[in-house]
Amino acid sequence: MGTHCEHILYWRDLSKPATDGFTRSECCINNLTRSLALSVAPDGILVNAIGVGAVTTDNWAQNMLPNVRNRRPELADKTDKEVMALLGREKTPVGRFGLPEDIAAIAAFLLSDRNQFVTGQTIEASGGADRFM
């Protein structure tokens, strides 16, 4: 059975003027995932997406941490690791931001032979958070 998995950023139910375009494009990807899944299911192909929340990466540290530090001066004396841990506790129900390995495990399952039935879904990988800043 063939599989296909899209990687998308996930920012659900957070439509603000500055994020309307992002929210709309996310909806398009979710609907495209469902539509493709329905179209190719008869051929034995599964199509899914991963909605990624805040994940601890070098890119996140380089691009988001400076913004956080500007908005929260009380964090100025904290290390990057301490800031990330604090934000993870504050912003996600599981108490931490994701790791690349968390997302890789989901992708590995969706693309593996163990997945014979899940299709047309966007799997949210955000630690239960629907927003994170």
Coordinates of all heavy atoms in Angstrom, one line a residue, residues 35-132:
S35 N -9.2 15.6 0.5 CA -9.6 15.4 -0.9 C -8.7 14.4 -1.6 O -9.2 13.5 -2.3 CB -9.6 16.8 -1.6 OG -10.0 16.6 -3.0
L36 N -7.4 14.6 -1.5 CA -6.5 13.6 -2.1 C -6.7 12.2 -1.5 O -6.6 11.2 -2.3 CB -5.0 14.1 -1.8 CG -4.5 15.2 -2.7 CD1 -3.1 15.6 -2.2 CD2 -4.4 14.7 -4.1
A37 N -6.9 12.1 -0.2 CA -7.1 10.8 0.4 C -8.3 10.1 -0.3 O -8.2 8.9 -0.6 CB -7.3 10.9 1.9
L38 N -9.4 10.8 -0.4 CA -10.6 10.3 -1.1 C -10.3 9.9 -2.5 O -10.8 8.8 -3.0 CB -11.7 11.2 -1.0 CG -12.3 11.5 0.4 CD1 -13.3 12.6 0.4 CD2 -13.0 10.2 0.9
S39 N -9.5 10.7 -3.2 CA -9.3 10.4 -4.6 C -8.4 9.2 -4.9 O -8.7 8.5 -5.8 CB -8.6 11.7 -5.3 OG -9.4 12.8 -5.2
V40 N -7.5 9.0 -4.0 CA -6.5 7.9 -4.3 C -6.7 6.7 -3.4 O -6.0 5.6 -3.6 CB -5.0 8.4 -4.2 CG1 -4.8 9.5 -5.2 CG2 -4.7 8.9 -2.8
A41 N -7.6 6.7 -2.5 CA -7.9 5.5 -1.6 C -8.2 4.3 -2.4 O -7.7 3.2 -2.1 CB -9.0 5.9 -0.6
P42 N -9.0 4.4 -3.5 CA -9.3 3.2 -4.3 C -8.0 2.5 -4.9 O -8.0 1.3 -5.2 CB -10.2 3.6 -5.4 CG -10.9 4.9 -4.8 CD -9.8 5.5 -4.0
D43 N -7.0 3.3 -5.0 CA -5.7 2.8 -5.5 C -4.8 2.2 -4.4 O -3.6 1.9 -4.6 CB -4.9 3.8 -6.3 CG -5.7 4.3 -7.5 OD1 -6.4 3.5 -8.2 OD2 -5.8 5.5 -7.7
G44 N -5.3 2.2 -3.1 CA -4.5 1.7 -2.0 C -3.5 2.7 -1.5 O -2.5 2.3 -0.8
I45 N -3.7 4.0 -1.8 CA -2.8 5.0 -1.3 C -3.4 5.8 -0.1 O -4.5 6.2 -0.2 CB -2.4 6.0 -2.4 CG1 -1.7 5.2 -3.6 CG2 -1.5 7.1 -1.9 CD1 -1.5 6.1 -4.8
L46 N -2.6 5.9 0.9 CA -3.1 6.7 2.1 C -2.4 8.1 2.1 O -1.2 8.2 1.8 CB -2.7 5.9 3.4 CG -3.1 4.5 3.5 CD1 -2.6 3.9 4.8 CD2 -4.7 4.4 3.5
V47 N -3.2 9.1 2.4 CA -2.7 10.5 2.4 C -3.0 11.1 3.8 O -4.1 11.1 4.2 CB -3.3 11.3 1.3 CG1 -2.8 12.8 1.3 CG2 -3.0 10.7 -0.1
N48 N -2.0 11.6 4.4 CA -2.2 12.2 5.7 C -1.2 13.4 5.9 O -0.3 13.6 5.0 CB -1.8 11.2 6.9 CG -2.8 10.1 6.9 OD1 -4.0 10.3 7.3 ND2 -2.4 8.9 6.5
A49 N -1.5 14.3 6.8 CA -0.6 15.4 7.1 C -0.3 15.4 8.6 O -1.0 14.8 9.4 CB -1.4 16.7 6.7
I50 N 0.8 16.1 8.9 CA 1.2 16.3 10.3 C 1.1 17.8 10.6 O 1.8 18.6 9.9 CB 2.6 15.8 10.6 CG1 2.7 14.3 10.3 CG2 3.0 16.1 12.1 CD1 4.1 13.8 10.3
G51 N 0.3 18.2 11.5 CA 0.2 19.6 12.0 C 1.2 19.9 13.1 O 1.0 19.4 14.2
V52 N 2.2 20.5 12.8 CA 3.3 20.7 13.8 C 3.2 22.0 14.6 O 3.1 23.1 14.0 CB 4.7 20.7 13.0 CG1 5.8 20.8 14.0 CG2 4.8 19.4 12.2
G53 N 3.2 21.9 15.9 CA 3.2 23.0 16.8 C 4.7 23.4 17.0 O 5.6 23.3 16.2
A54 N 4.9 24.0 18.2 CA 6.3 24.5 18.5 C 7.2 23.3 18.8 O 7.0 22.4 19.6 CB 6.2 25.3 19.8
V55 N 8.3 23.2 18.0 CA 9.3 22.2 18.1 C 10.6 22.8 18.3 O 11.0 23.8 17.7 CB 9.3 21.3 16.8 CG1 10.4 20.3 16.9 CG2 7.9 20.6 16.6
T56 N 11.3 22.3 19.3 CA 12.7 22.8 19.6 C 13.7 22.5 18.5 O 14.1 21.3 18.4 CB 13.1 22.2 21.0 OG1 12.1 22.4 22.0 CG2 14.4 22.7 21.4
T57 N 14.0 23.5 17.8 CA 15.0 23.3 16.7 C 15.9 24.5 16.7 O 15.6 25.6 17.4 CB 14.3 23.3 15.3 OG1 13.7 24.5 15.1 CG2 13.3 22.1 15.2
D58 N 17.0 24.5 16.0 CA 17.9 25.6 15.9 C 17.2 26.8 15.3 O 17.4 27.9 15.7 CB 19.2 25.2 15.1 CG 20.1 24.3 15.9 OD1 20.0 24.2 17.1 OD2 20.9 23.6 15.2
N59 N 16.4 26.5 14.3 CA 15.7 27.5 13.6 C 14.8 28.3 14.5 O 14.7 29.5 14.5 CB 14.9 26.9 12.4 CG 14.2 28.0 11.6 OD1 14.8 29.0 11.2 ND2 12.9 27.8 11.4
W60 N 14.1 27.5 15.4 CA 13.1 28.1 16.3 C 14.0 29.0 17.3 O 13.6 30.2 17.6 CB 12.4 27.1 17.1 CG 11.1 27.5 17.7 CD1 9.9 27.4 17.1 CD2 10.9 28.2 18.9 NE1 8.9 28.0 17.9 CE2 9.5 28.5 19.0 CE3 11.7 28.7 19.9 CZ2 9.0 29.2 20.1 CZ3 11.2 29.4 21.0 CH2 9.8 29.6 21.1
A61 N 15.1 28.5 17.8 CA 15.9 29.3 18.7 C 16.4 30.6 18.0 O 16.4 31.6 18.7 CB 17.1 28.4 19.2
Q62 N 16.8 30.5 16.8 CA 17.4 31.7 16.1 C 16.3 32.7 15.7 O 16.6 33.9 15.8 CB 18.1 31.2 14.9 CG 19.4 30.4 15.2 CD 20.0 29.8 13.9 OE1 19.5 30.0 12.8 NE2 21.0 29.0 14.1
N63 N 15.1 32.3 15.4 CA 14.1 33.2 14.9 C 13.1 33.6 16.0 O 12.6 34.7 15.9 CB 13.4 32.6 13.7 CG 14.4 32.5 12.6 OD1 15.0 33.5 12.1 ND2 14.6 31.3 12.1
M64 N 12.7 32.7 16.9 CA 11.7 33.0 17.8 C 12.2 33.5 19.2 O 11.6 34.4 19.8 CB 10.8 31.8 18.1 CG 10.0 31.3 16.8 SD 8.8 32.6 16.3 CE 7.6 32.5 17.5
L65 N 13.3 32.9 19.6 CA 13.8 33.3 21.0 C 14.1 34.8 21.1 O 13.8 35.5 22.1 CB 15.0 32.5 21.4 CG 14.6 31.1 21.9 CD1 15.9 30.4 22.3 CD2 13.7 31.2 23.1
P66 N 14.7 35.5 20.0 CA 14.9 36.9 20.1 C 13.6 37.7 20.3 O 13.6 38.7 21.1 CB 15.6 37.3 18.8 CG 16.3 36.0 18.4 CD 15.3 34.9 18.8
N67 N 12.6 37.3 19.6 CA 11.3 37.9 19.8 C 10.7 37.8 21.2 O 10.2 38.7 21.7 CB 10.2 37.4 18.7 CG 10.6 37.7 17.3 OD1 11.3 38.7 17.1 ND2 10.2 36.9 16.4
V68 N 10.8 36.6 21.7 CA 10.4 36.3 23.0 C 11.1 37.2 24.0 O 10.5 37.8 24.9 CB 10.5 34.8 23.4 CG1 10.2 34.6 24.9 CG2 9.5 34.0 22.5
R69 N 12.4 37.2 23.9 CA 13.3 38.0 24.8 C 12.9 39.5 24.7 O 12.9 40.2 25.8 CB 14.7 37.8 24.5 CG 15.2 36.4 24.9 CD 16.7 36.3 24.6 NE 17.2 34.9 24.8 CZ 17.4 34.3 25.9 NH1 17.2 34.9 27.1 NH2 17.8 33.1 25.9
N70 N 12.6 40.0 23.5 CA 12.2 41.4 23.4 C 10.9 41.7 24.1 O 10.7 42.8 24.7 CB 12.1 41.8 21.9 CG 13.4 41.9 21.3 OD1 14.4 42.2 21.9 ND2 13.4 41.8 20.0
R71 N 9.9 40.7 24.1 CA 8.6 40.9 24.7 C 8.6 40.6 26.2 O 7.8 41.1 26.9 CB 7.6 40.1 24.0 CG 7.2 40.5 22.6 CD 6.0 39.9 22.1 NE 5.9 38.5 22.3 CZ 6.0 37.5 21.4 NH1 6.3 37.9 20.2 NH2 5.9 36.2 21.7
R72 N 9.6 39.8 26.6 CA 9.7 39.4 28.0 C 11.0 39.7 28.6 O 11.9 38.8 28.7 CB 9.3 38.0 28.1 CG 7.8 37.8 27.7 CD 7.3 36.4 28.0 NE 7.4 36.0 29.3 CZ 7.1 34.7 29.7 NH1 6.6 33.9 28.9 NH2 7.2 34.4 31.0
P73 N 11.3 40.9 29.0 CA 12.7 41.3 29.5 C 13.1 40.5 30.7 O 14.3 40.4 31.0 CB 12.6 42.8 29.8 CG 11.2 43.2 29.5 CD 10.4 42.1 28.9
E74 N 12.1 40.0 31.5 CA 12.5 39.2 32.7 C 13.2 37.9 32.3 O 13.8 37.2 33.2 CB 11.2 38.9 33.5 CG 10.3 37.8 32.9 CD 9.3 38.3 31.9 OE1 9.4 39.4 31.4 OE2 8.4 37.5 31.6
L75 N 13.3 37.5 31.0 CA 13.9 36.3 30.6 C 15.4 36.6 30.1 O 16.1 35.7 29.7 CB 13.2 35.6 29.5 CG 11.7 35.2 29.8 CD1 11.0 34.6 28.6 CD2 11.7 34.3 31.0
A76 N 15.8 37.8 30.2 CA 17.1 38.2 29.6 C 18.3 37.5 30.2 O 19.2 37.1 29.5 CB 17.3 39.7 29.8
D77 N 18.2 37.1 31.5 CA 19.3 36.4 32.1 C 19.3 34.9 32.0 O 20.1 34.2 32.5 CB 19.5 36.9 33.6 CG 18.3 36.5 34.4 OD1 17.2 36.3 33.8 OD2 18.4 36.4 35.6
K78 N 18.2 34.4 31.4 CA 18.1 33.0 31.2 C 18.8 32.5 30.0 O 18.9 33.2 29.0 CB 16.6 32.6 31.1 CG 15.7 33.1 32.2 CD 15.8 32.3 33.4 CE 14.8 32.8 34.5 NZ 15.1 32.3 35.8
T79 N 19.2 31.2 30.0 CA 19.8 30.6 28.8 C 18.7 30.2 27.9 O 17.5 30.2 28.2 CB 20.6 29.3 29.2 OG1 19.6 28.3 29.7 CG2 21.7 29.6 30.3
D80 N 19.1 30.0 26.6 CA 18.1 29.5 25.6 C 17.3 28.3 26.1 O 16.1 28.2 26.0 CB 18.7 29.3 24.3 CG 19.2 30.5 23.6 OD1 18.9 31.6 24.1 OD2 19.8 30.4 22.5
K81 N 18.1 27.4 26.6 CA 17.4 26.1 27.1 C 16.4 26.4 28.2 O 15.3 25.8 28.3 CB 18.5 25.1 27.6 CG 18.0 23.8 27.9 CD 19.2 22.8 28.2 CE 18.7 21.5 28.5 NZ 19.8 20.5 28.8
E82 N 16.8 27.3 29.1 CA 15.9 27.6 30.2 C 14.6 28.4 29.7 O 13.5 28.1 30.2 CB 16.6 28.5 31.3 CG 17.7 27.8 32.1 CD 18.5 28.8 32.9 OE1 18.7 29.9 32.5 OE2 18.9 28.3 34.0
V83 N 14.8 29.2 28.8 CA 13.7 30.0 28.2 C 12.7 29.0 27.5 O 11.5 29.0 27.6 CB 14.1 31.1 27.2 CG1 12.9 31.7 26.5 CG2 14.9 32.2 28.0
M84 N 13.3 28.1 26.7 CA 12.5 27.1 26.0 C 11.7 26.2 27.0 O 10.5 25.9 26.8 CB 13.4 26.2 25.1 CG 14.0 27.0 23.9 SD 12.7 27.5 22.7 CE 12.4 25.9 21.9
A85 N 12.4 25.8 28.0 CA 11.7 24.9 29.0 C 10.6 25.7 29.7 O 9.5 25.2 29.9 CB 12.7 24.5 30.1
L86 N 10.8 27.0 30.0 CA 9.8 27.8 30.7 C 8.6 28.0 29.8 O 7.4 27.8 30.2 CB 10.4 29.1 31.1 CG 9.4 30.1 31.7 CD1 8.9 29.7 33.0 CD2 10.0 31.5 31.7
L87 N 8.9 28.3 28.5 CA 7.8 28.5 27.5 C 7.0 27.2 27.3 O 5.8 27.2 27.2 CB 8.3 29.1 26.2 CG 8.9 30.5 26.2 CD1 9.5 30.8 24.9 CD2 7.8 31.5 26.6
G88 N 7.7 26.1 27.2 CA 7.0 24.8 27.1 C 6.1 24.5 28.2 O 5.0 24.1 28.0
R89 N 6.5 24.8 29.4 CA 5.7 24.6 30.6 C 4.5 25.6 30.6 O 3.3 25.2 30.9 CB 6.5 24.8 31.9 CG 7.4 23.7 32.2 CD 8.0 23.7 33.6 NE 8.7 25.0 33.9 CZ 10.0 25.2 33.6 NH1 10.7 24.3 33.0 NH2 10.5 26.4 33.9
E90 N 4.7 26.8 30.2 CA 3.6 27.8 30.1 C 2.6 27.6 29.0 O 1.4 27.8 29.2 CB 4.2 29.2 29.9 CG 4.9 29.7 31.1 CD 5.5 31.1 30.8 OE1 5.4 31.6 29.7 OE2 6.1 31.7 31.8
K91 N 3.1 27.1 27.9 CA 2.2 27.2 26.7 C 1.7 25.8 26.2 O 0.8 25.8 25.3 CB 3.0 27.8 25.5 CG 3.5 29.2 25.8 CD 2.4 30.2 26.0 CE 3.0 31.6 26.2 NZ 1.9 32.5 26.5
T92 N 2.1 24.7 26.7 CA 1.6 23.4 26.3 C 1.1 22.6 27.4 O 1.8 22.5 28.5 CB 2.7 22.6 25.5 OG1 3.7 22.3 26.4 CG2 3.2 23.4 24.3
P93 N 0.0 21.9 27.3 CA -0.5 21.1 28.3 C 0.4 20.0 28.8 O 0.5 19.6 29.9 CB -1.8 20.5 27.7 CG -2.3 21.5 26.8 CD -1.0 22.1 26.2
V94 N 1.3 19.5 27.8 CA 2.2 18.4 28.2 C 3.5 19.0 28.9 O 4.3 18.2 29.4 CB 2.6 17.5 27.0 CG1 1.4 16.9 26.4 CG2 3.4 18.4 26.0
G95 N 3.6 20.3 28.9 CA 4.7 20.9 29.7 C 6.0 21.1 29.0 O 7.0 21.4 29.7
R96 N 6.0 20.9 27.7 CA 7.3 21.0 27.0 C 7.0 21.2 25.5 O 5.9 20.9 25.0 CB 8.2 19.8 27.1 CG 7.7 18.6 26.5 CD 8.7 17.4 26.5 NE 8.2 16.2 25.9 CZ 8.2 15.9 24.6 NH1 8.8 16.8 23.7 NH2 7.8 14.8 24.1
F97 N 7.9 21.8 24.8 CA 7.8 21.9 23.3 C 8.2 20.5 22.7 O 8.9 19.7 23.4 CB 8.7 23.0 22.8 CG 8.2 24.4 23.0 CD1 9.0 25.4 23.1 CD2 6.8 24.6 23.1 CE1 8.6 26.7 23.3 CE2 6.3 25.9 23.3 CZ 7.2 27.0 23.4
G98 N 7.8 20.3 21.5 CA 8.1 19.1 20.9 C 9.6 19.0 20.5 O 10.3 20.0 20.5
L99 N 10.0 17.8 20.2 CA 11.4 17.5 19.7 C 11.2 17.0 18.2 O 10.2 16.4 17.9 CB 12.0 16.4 20.5 CG 12.2 16.7 22.0 CD1 12.7 15.5 22.7 CD2 13.1 17.9 22.2
P100 N 12.2 17.2 17.4 CA 12.2 16.7 16.0 C 11.8 15.2 16.0 O 11.1 14.7 15.1 CB 13.6 17.0 15.5 CG 14.0 18.2 16.2 CD 13.5 18.0 17.6
E101 N 12.3 14.5 17.0 CA 12.1 13.0 17.1 C 10.6 12.7 17.3 O 10.1 11.7 16.8 CB 12.9 12.4 18.2 CG 14.4 12.5 18.1 CD 15.0 13.8 18.5 OE1 14.3 14.7 19.0 OE2 16.2 13.9 18.4
D102 N 9.8 13.6 18.0 CA 8.4 13.4 18.2 C 7.7 13.4 16.8 O 6.8 12.6 16.5 CB 7.8 14.5 19.0 CG 8.3 14.5 20.5 OD1 8.6 13.4 21.0 OD2 8.5 15.6 21.0
I103 N 8.1 14.4 16.0 CA 7.4 14.5 14.7 C 7.9 13.4 13.8 O 7.1 12.8 13.0 CB 7.8 15.9 14.0 CG1 7.5 17.0 15.0 CG2 7.1 16.0 12.7 CD1 6.1 17.1 15.6
A104 N 9.2 13.0 13.8 CA 9.7 11.9 13.0 C 9.0 10.6 13.4 O 8.7 9.8 12.5 CB 11.2 11.7 13.2
A105 N 8.6 10.4 14.6 CA 7.9 9.1 15.0 C 6.5 9.1 14.4 O 6.1 8.0 14.0 CB 7.9 9.0 16.5
I106 N 5.9 10.2 14.3 CA 4.5 10.2 13.7 C 4.7 9.9 12.2 O 3.9 9.1 11.7 CB 3.8 11.6 14.0 CG1 3.6 11.8 15.4 CG2 2.5 11.7 13.2 CD1 3.2 13.2 15.8
A107 N 5.6 10.6 11.6 CA 5.8 10.4 10.1 C 6.2 9.0 9.8 O 5.7 8.4 8.9 CB 6.9 11.4 9.6
A108 N 7.1 8.4 10.7 CA 7.5 7.0 10.5 C 6.3 6.1 10.5 O 6.2 5.2 9.7 CB 8.6 6.6 11.5
F109 N 5.4 6.3 11.5 CA 4.2 5.4 11.6 C 3.3 5.6 10.3 O 2.9 4.6 9.7 CB 3.4 5.7 12.8 CG 2.0 5.1 12.7 CD1 1.9 3.7 12.9 CD2 0.9 5.8 12.5 CE1 0.7 3.1 12.8 CE2 -0.3 5.2 12.3 CZ -0.5 3.8 12.5
L110 N 3.0 6.9 10.0 CA 2.1 7.1 8.9 C 2.7 6.5 7.6 O 1.9 6.1 6.7 CB 1.9 8.6 8.7 CG 1.0 9.3 9.8 CD1 1.0 10.8 9.7 CD2 -0.4 8.7 9.9
L111 N 4.0 6.5 7.4 CA 4.6 6.1 6.2 C 5.0 4.6 6.2 O 5.4 4.0 5.2 CB 5.8 6.9 5.9 CG 5.5 8.4 5.6 CD1 6.8 9.2 5.5 CD2 4.7 8.5 4.3
S112 N 4.7 3.9 7.4 CA 5.1 2.5 7.5 C 4.0 1.6 7.1 O 2.9 1.9 6.9 CB 5.5 2.2 9.0 OG 4.3 2.1 9.8
D113 N 4.4 0.3 7.0 CA 3.5 -0.8 6.7 C 2.5 -1.0 7.8 O 1.5 -1.6 7.6 CB 4.2 -2.1 6.4 CG 4.9 -2.0 5.0 OD1 4.6 -1.1 4.2 OD2 5.9 -2.8 4.8
R114 N 2.8 -0.5 9.0 CA 1.9 -0.7 10.2 C 0.6 0.2 10.0 O -0.4 -0.1 10.5 CB 2.6 -0.3 11.5 CG 3.7 -1.2 11.8 CD 4.3 -0.9 13.2 NE 4.0 0.3 13.7 CZ 4.8 1.1 14.4 NH1 6.0 0.7 14.7 NH2 4.4 2.3 14.9
N115 N 0.7 1.3 9.2 CA -0.4 2.1 8.9 C -1.1 1.6 7.7 O -0.7 1.8 6.6 CB -0.1 3.6 8.7 CG -1.3 4.4 8.4 OD1 -2.4 4.0 8.7 ND2 -1.1 5.5 7.7
Q116 N -2.2 0.9 7.9 CA -3.0 0.3 6.8 C -4.4 1.0 6.7 O -5.2 0.6 5.8 CB -3.2 -1.2 7.0 CG -1.9 -1.9 7.0 CD -1.2 -2.0 5.6 OE1 -1.9 -2.3 4.6 NE2 0.0 -1.6 5.5
F117 N -4.7 1.9 7.6 CA -6.1 2.4 7.7 C -6.3 3.9 7.9 O -7.3 4.4 7.6 CB -6.7 1.6 8.9 CG -8.2 1.6 8.9 CD1 -8.9 1.0 7.8 CD2 -8.9 2.2 9.9 CE1 -10.3 1.0 7.8 CE2 -10.3 2.2 9.9 CZ -11.0 1.6 8.9
V118 N -5.3 4.6 8.4 CA -5.4 6.0 8.7 C -5.2 6.8 7.4 O -4.1 6.7 6.8 CB -4.4 6.5 9.7 CG1 -4.5 8.0 10.0 CG2 -4.6 5.7 11.0
T119 N -6.2 7.5 7.0 CA -6.0 8.3 5.7 C -6.9 9.6 5.8 O -7.9 9.6 6.5 CB -6.3 7.5 4.5 OG1 -5.9 8.2 3.3 CG2 -7.8 7.2 4.3
G120 N -6.5 10.6 5.1 CA -7.3 11.9 5.1 C -7.2 12.7 6.4 O -8.1 13.5 6.6
Q121 N -6.3 12.4 7.2 CA -6.2 13.0 8.5 C -5.0 14.0 8.7 O -4.0 13.8 8.1 CB -6.0 12.0 9.6 CG -7.2 11.0 9.7 CD -8.5 11.7 9.9 OE1 -8.7 12.4 10.8 NE2 -9.4 11.4 9.0
T122 N -5.2 15.0 9.4 CA -4.1 15.9 9.9 C -3.9 15.6 11.3 O -4.7 15.8 12.2 CB -4.4 17.4 9.7 OG1 -4.7 17.7 8.3 CG2 -3.3 18.2 10.2
I123 N -2.7 15.0 11.6 CA -2.4 14.6 13.0 C -1.7 15.8 13.7 O -0.7 16.2 13.3 CB -1.4 13.4 13.0 CG1 -1.9 12.2 12.1 CG2 -1.1 12.9 14.4 CD1 -3.2 11.6 12.5
E124 N -2.4 16.3 14.7 CA -1.9 17.4 15.4 C -0.8 17.0 16.3 O -0.9 16.1 17.2 CB -3.0 18.1 16.3 CG -2.5 19.3 17.0 CD -3.5 19.9 18.0 OE1 -4.7 19.5 17.9 OE2 -3.1 20.7 18.8
A125 N 0.4 17.6 16.2 CA 1.5 17.3 17.1 C 2.0 18.6 17.7 O 2.9 19.3 17.3 CB 2.7 16.7 16.2
S126 N 1.2 19.0 18.7 CA 1.5 20.3 19.4 C 1.5 20.3 20.9 O 1.4 21.3 21.6 CB 0.4 21.3 19.0 OG -0.9 20.9 19.5
G127 N 1.6 19.1 21.4 CA 1.6 18.9 22.9 C 0.2 19.4 23.5 O 0.2 19.7 24.7
G128 N -0.8 19.4 22.7 CA -2.1 19.8 23.1 C -2.4 21.3 23.1 O -3.5 21.7 23.4
A129 N -1.4 22.0 22.6 CA -1.6 23.5 22.6 C -2.2 23.9 21.2 O -1.8 23.4 20.2 CB -0.2 24.2 22.8
D130 N -3.1 24.8 21.3 CA -3.6 25.3 20.0 C -3.0 26.6 19.6 O -3.3 27.2 18.6 CB -5.2 25.4 20.0 CG -5.7 26.3 21.0 OD1 -4.9 26.8 21.8 OD2 -6.9 26.5 21.0
R131 N -2.2 27.2 20.5 CA -1.4 28.4 20.2 C -0.2 28.4 21.1 O -0.2 27.8 22.2 CB -2.2 29.6 20.3 CG -2.7 29.9 21.7 CD -3.6 31.1 21.6 NE -4.3 31.2 22.9 CZ -4.4 32.3 23.6 NH1 -3.9 33.4 23.2 NH2 -5.1 32.3 24.7
F132 N 0.8 29.1 20.7 CA 2.0 29.1 21.5 C 2.8 30.4 21.5 O 4.0 30.4 21.3 CB 3.0 27.9 21.1 CG 3.4 27.9 19.7 CD1 4.4 28.6 19.2 CD2 2.6 27.1 18.8 CE1 4.8 28.6 17.9 CE2 3.0 27.1 17.5 CZ 4.1 27.8 17.0

